[in-house]
Structure formats: structure tokens, C-alpha cells
Amino acid sequence: MSQGAVADFGLIGLAVMGQNLILNAADHGFTVCAYNRTVSKVEHFLNNEAKGKSIVGATSIEDFIKKLKRPRKIMLLVKAGKPVDYIINDLLPHLEKGDIIIDGGNSHFPDTNRRYEELSAKGILFVGSGVSGGEDGARYGPSLMPGGAEEAWPHIKEIFQSIAAKSDGEPCCDWVGPAGAGHYVKMVHNGIEYGDMQLICEAYDIMKRIGRFTDKEISEVFATWNKGVLDSFLIEITRDILAYDDVDGKPLVEKILDTAGQKGTGKWTAINALDLGMPVTLIGEAVFARCLSALKKERVLASKHLTGPEIPEDAVKDKKQFVDDLEQALYASKIISYAQGFMLIGEAAKTYGWKLNNPAIALMWRGGCIIRSVFLGEITKAYRENPDLENLLLHRFFADAVIKAQQGWRKTVGLATTYGVPTPTFSTALAFYDGYRSARLPANLLQAQRDYFGAHTFRVLPEEASETLPVDKDIHINWTGHGGNVSSTTYDA
Ligand code: 2AM
């Protein structure tokens, strides 16, 4: 291993994702240098999967640096958190101004913001890139969401766009925005993924418990849905999961313990939504649904004490209509979820001062990643028509779709409520829809309550303004006729 600077690209971290991305890049004609903390893994990789390909290995950081063409392009695919900082610190003494470090791990965007600042000060171009698509995606075309130092983009664009998934011939990778924007968008992607998965689970539960469908029948429904507006990776794998039998001929999925795990990216999205004051209710409910599922012991106990309605065998009279309604509920809820996701991204752009590329974000999610779907093609189209679209729900295509779907959606939520089958995401999507389309909400009463007990003040509707209730003024009323007459000074709206 004594070549000079031969490699176009360096990658540190030879776990599955790292190995697959290297193989993918080599298949596209790039020479890649591989390195890993446990160096024996480099040797093993070179002698096996990487054999015969344009891949070289490094035995140390110094060796790794020597083998990279300048400006050096170094991608890290190591465990998120401290390991990323350790490696950056190991690399720094060997790097020159203009070298590029790309963190392709699942880093939390505030960490990426911090690293971007620290490295910018040292003249190193730092890129935080979302990578989605799992092992298969990494190998044959992931969705890549790079953000950070934009000067790095011309140097990595070719390699990123050639290894990325393609959708209608276009790469599912483009520049997202500054600082931690790439990892931010990946975080929202994961939140949306939580939502999509929970929606599908609710549809399955309704078919199973109210429709009394077998898993095979449910699989067939998903197969049909996968040919229509819901055509997507997650619907496709659900179809296959439900058709998969264990060795005894029974559906394997029914033997799986019903407590969901999570690695935290959905939770990050929900927390960020609360921080930014954005009603991203569907992702929030999807995260909470996982939390509730984890309370298995308590649920089993409660199931013996807390009764609900009986579900009669003939609860569903017209199976075709039932399935059609459910499809509409799923479609409409999904539109709400994506509208909420883009609302969050829009608010983040404002709050953090990022200029984000909405059509590119939709295109990046169109292929390669877990939420890839035909539906994202429509979102890409909508944002290309109008990149500053206020809200997806205000775009004609999605507005029409939701309006058309709402009858089936309302019937589905009604049915589930009547028979006691929990639908947190279907229901919250509908509640959001009804709230969003309400010119008047009961927050007037809420403001009155706040003013009553805390002198928090309120504003008056312009058309109701009068001498005693002036417009554009914070007003406090002495609701009880006794007590103080001062407004709260602690409240800062
Ligand atoms: P390893 O093979 O030496 O454990 C996924 O865990 C990847 O992150 C692996 O390539 C792993 O290297 C790497 N990794 C985990 N912790 C690390 C650390 N503290 N420093 C460097 N690499 C680390």
C-alpha cells in the first residue's frame, strides 16, 4: 500500500453503510480509499467485497491522508455522537485549508451546526449529509441530503449525484442549504417515516379488527394500493411482510412482540416542532404511539379492566367501500403529514436563517430513501411550479385530493372511534385539517381564560373594535369586578 495520492474520495467507517457506499462509488468509476478505526476490517474488506475494484485501503490516518487527491474529500460513516468529533480531531492536524469533511452519519443537526462553525474557522469545508435507504440504498443508490459549506458542493457534486438514486433520470441528491440543514432535512425525513409507518399500522389494525380480514387479505389490499396513489416503498414492504409465513404456515408478523423501538430521530423532529411552535401533530402522535406500545405490561393489565365497545362480526357490510374509505383516509392523512413536515422545514429556514431548496428536498425523498413514493413526485412538481408555496394544502392538486378524500377519511375515523380501535395519526390528521380550514377557532375563549386568571391580556377582533375595546392594543379586563386591574408583566407574546 505505498501508492501516492490516488483516491478521488476517502471514506472512514467500514460498517455496512460505509462498505456499501464505497462499493457504489467504485462502481461509478471513482477510486476510493477506505479506512477504519479497527484496521483489520480494512484488510478484510480489501480481500473480500472490495477485491478487483478501484478501492485502496489505509493502515493509519497518515496513510489515509497521503492517498487522497486534493482537495481531500473525506466522508465519515461512523457512529453518531462523540466518535465523529474524535475522528475530526484525529484528521485535523493532517488537513489543509479547502479540504472537505462530510459527515454521512445520523448526526443531530445542532451537532452539525457546531462542527460547521468550528471547522469553518479553520478553513475546512464541513458538510453534514443525510443518507437514507438502508444497506441496499447505500449500495445501489441512496437518497443523499448534503448541507453545510456550499464551497464544497462543486467538488463533491459529481460523486454524490452519480452514486445517488435516480428518479425519472434525475439524481435524488442536491444541495440542501447551509450549516446543519442537510442533517435537519434528514431528521424531518425520519419523522415523516415514523408517520407513514404508523398510518400503515393503523390501516392494518382497522382491517384486522373491524374488517376481520386475514393477513393474506390485508396483503392483497396493500398490493392493490401499491398500484395507485399510495404507491411507495413502505406500502410495498408491508404487502410482502403480511404475506410472509413462518415455518408452520402462519403469518410471521402475528408472532412479533408489539412494542416498538426508536432511535430518536422521530423524537428529535417532534421536539424541534415544539421548539419552533409548529403543529407537526402527526409525527408527534407517531412517536407517542411507539411510546404507548412500549407499555406492554400495563396494556395487558388494562385490557382486563378497561372495557370498550364490542366489535360485531358484521361491523363491515360493504368490504369494498370499507377498503376504499380506508385508502382515502390513508392518502389524506399522508398529505397532511407531508404538509406539516414542509411547514416545519419552512419555519426552520426562517428561524435559523437558512435558504432551503423545497423542490430539491422533495426530489431527494422521491427515490432511494425509506419514504420514497410516487406521491413525492407530485410534491416535487408542486414546489417546482411555486418554490415559495405557502403550504402544500393550498396547492390545487393537494387541496382537491384532500377534499375528495375527506368523506372516506371521516367515515374511517368514525368507524374506528365507534369500535374502539386507536387511530392516533388518522385522527390527528383530520383534527389538523379541520383546524387549519377554520377561520375561527375557540382560542378567543382561551385568551379570555388567560386574561381572567393571569391578566395575560388579549386583542380584539378588528371588526368588533370600539372605544372601550381598541384595535391593536393589549387589553385587560377586570372580569370579576374585584382584585387588581394590572396586566401581567411576565408574559411576553
Ligand atoms: P470500529 O469498526 O473500529 O468499531 C460503526 O460503528 C462505525 O463507527 C465502525 O466503523 C466503527 O469502527 C466506528 N466507530 C465507532 N466508534 C468509534 C470511535 N470512537 N472512533 C472511531 N470510529 C468509531
Side-chain angles (χ1 to χ4, degrees):
M1 291 190 199
S2 60
Q3 309 99 317
V6 291
D8 306 301
F9 195 67
L11 196 143
I12 301 181
L14 291 183
V16 190
M17 290 296 280
Q19 291 196 17
N20 282 341
L21 266 191
I22 294 174
L23 295 170
N24 182 352
D27 282 352
H28 284 89
F30 299 95
T31 299
V32 190
C33 183
Y35 180 64
N36 194 66
R37 173 182 61 171
T38 310
V39 180
S40 58
K41 287 192 191 164
V42 179
E43 206 59 43
H44 185 270
F45 180 56
L46 290 180
N47 292 329
N48 293 277
E49 297 85 350
K51 217 183 170 101
K53 295 183 184 283
S54 54
I55 299 168
V56 295
T59 51
S60 65
I61 289 271
E62 292 82 353
D63 185 32
F64 177 71
I65 297 289
K66 270 190 219 139
K67 287 182 174 147
L68 299 178
K69 293 183 196 162
R70 289 184 215 167
R72 300 180 181 91
K73 296 168 265 307
I74 301 168
M75 184 148 181
L76 314 181
L77 269 167
V78 298
K79 228 163 106 185
K82 291 229 159 67
V84 178
D85 293 309
Y86 295 152
I87 298 201
I88 291 174
N89 283 335
D90 287 349
L91 285 168
L92 270 178
H94 308 283
L95 297 181
E96 288 161 288
K97 280 195 179 6
D99 282 345
I100 298 162
I101 300 179
I102 306 147
D103 173 18
N106 249 334
S107 295
H108 197 193
F109 77 94
D111 288 334
T112 307
N113 283 340
R114 168 180 58 79
R115 291 174 185 135
Y116 166 77
E117 294 296 336
E118 288 169 2
L119 291 169
S120 295
K122 295 184 162 70
I124 304 298
L125 306 181
F126 185 66
V127 174
S129 180
V131 177
S132 176
E135 294 172 27
D136 232 41
R139 180 69 185 87
Y140 300 107
S143 157
L144 297 170
M145 302 156 236
E150 195 162 2
E151 308 93 284
W153 183 230
H155 298 287
I156 60 172
K157 184 175 176 177
E158 191 194 346
I159 180 160
F160 265 53
Q161 293 198 332
S162 51
I163 64 176
K166 307 289 176 304
S167 166
D168 300 325
E170 288 185 273
C172 296
C173 169
D174 205 342
W175 189 250
V176 177
H183 276 136
Y184 184 86
V185 163
K186 170 65 175 16
M187 175 190 80
V188 178
H189 161 283
N190 283 27
I192 289 180
E193 177 185 314
Y194 273 52
D196 279 0
M197 291 169 77
Q198 176 63 24
L199 284 170
I200 290 173
C201 290
E202 289 172 20
Y204 149 77
D205 206 22
I206 290 173
M207 283 190 267
K208 193 166 94 169
R209 288 162 72 176
I210 303 180
R212 296 180 186 254
F213 287 17
T214 64
D215 285 43
K216 293 284 166 310
E217 286 170 326
I218 303 174
S219 171
E220 282 159 24
V221 171
F222 280 107
T224 311
W225 288 354
N226 202 42
K227 296 182 185 117
V229 290
L230 293 174
D231 179 349
S232 62
F233 171 70
L234 285 169
I235 295 278
E236 183 186 316
I237 66 164
T238 306
R239 172 198 71 194
D240 296 347
I241 289 167
L242 287 160
Y244 190 98
D245 288 335
D246 193 11
V247 283
D248 61 2
K250 293 188 181 141
L252 178 64
V253 69
E254 300 306 332
K255 299 184 178 183
I256 296 177
L257 181 67
D258 52 323
T259 61
Q262 52 175 317
K263 284 193 180 162
T265 40
K267 185 178 85 178
W268 290 346
T269 315
I271 291 174
N272 181 253
L274 290 171
D275 282 343
L276 299 188
M278 278 291 112
V280 187
T281 61
L282 197 140
I283 295 174
E285 285 293 350
V287 176
F288 286 134
R290 290 194 190 195
C291 301
L292 180 59
S293 82
L295 305 178
K296 173 79 173 176
K297 238 182 165 172
E298 236 176 292
R299 288 192 287 115
V300 171
L301 180 68
S303 71
K304 299 191 175 82
H305 296 283
L306 305 175
T307 59
E310 286 291 319
I311 306 178
E313 241 172 81
D314 64 346
V316 172
K317 307 265 183 320
D318 181 343
K319 285 195 170 185
K320 181 172 179 323
Q321 189 62 50
F322 167 71
V323 168
D324 285 349
D325 289 344
L326 198 52
E327 183 181 21
Q328 295 305 307
L330 188 42
Y331 185 44
S333 303
K334 196 168 153 143
I335 293 173
I336 298 294
S337 182
Y338 284 67
Q340 292 182 343
F342 276 97
M343 284 166 73
L344 183 61
I345 288 173
E347 188 61 25
K350 274 192 223 150
T351 305
Y352 307 134
W354 295 340
K355 171 112 190 69
L356 299 181
N357 185 348
N358 279 334
I361 292 167
L363 181 67
M364 278 179 259
W365 294 348
R366 167 75 184 84
C369 61
I370 305 298
I371 63 170
R372 62 184 181 260
S373 65
V374 166
F375 171 73
L376 272 157
E378 296 298 341
I379 301 183
T380 311
K381 230 195 285 172
Y383 277 118
R384 277 194 172 151
E385 264 171 47
N386 178 8
D388 301 318
L389 183 65
E390 172 107 34
N391 191 302
L392 264 189
L393 288 170
L394 299 177
H395 184 271
R396 203 63 258 157
F397 177 86
F398 294 102
D400 286 346
V402 178
I403 291 166
K404 200 167 139 242
Q406 71 177 302
Q407 201 193 359
W409 189 15
R410 290 185 193 281
K411 272 162 70 188
T412 300
V413 171
L415 194 69
T417 309
T418 302
Y419 292 123
V421 173
T423 54
T425 51
F426 281 145
S427 305
T428 198
L430 188 53
F432 175 87
Y433 177 68
D434 286 332
Y436 189 69
R437 64 179 192 83
S438 292
R440 187 143 170 87
L441 284 171
N444 51 327
L445 174 57
L446 203 130
Q447 288 298 82
Q449 291 166 335
R450 295 176 66 237
D451 189 54
Y452 186 112
F453 65 66
H456 288 307
T457 74
F458 59 85
R459 294 274 173 118
V460 72
L461 284 168
E463 62 271 27
E464 297 295 343
S466 63
E467 216 162 282
T468 49
L469 296 175
V471 75
D472 292 338
K473 287 256 159 41
D474 296 325
I475 301 166
H476 171 59
I477 293 286
N478 185 349
W479 296 87
T480 57
H482 57 76
N485 201 11
V486 280
S487 36
S488 168
T489 50
T490 52
Y491 183 65
D492 176 16

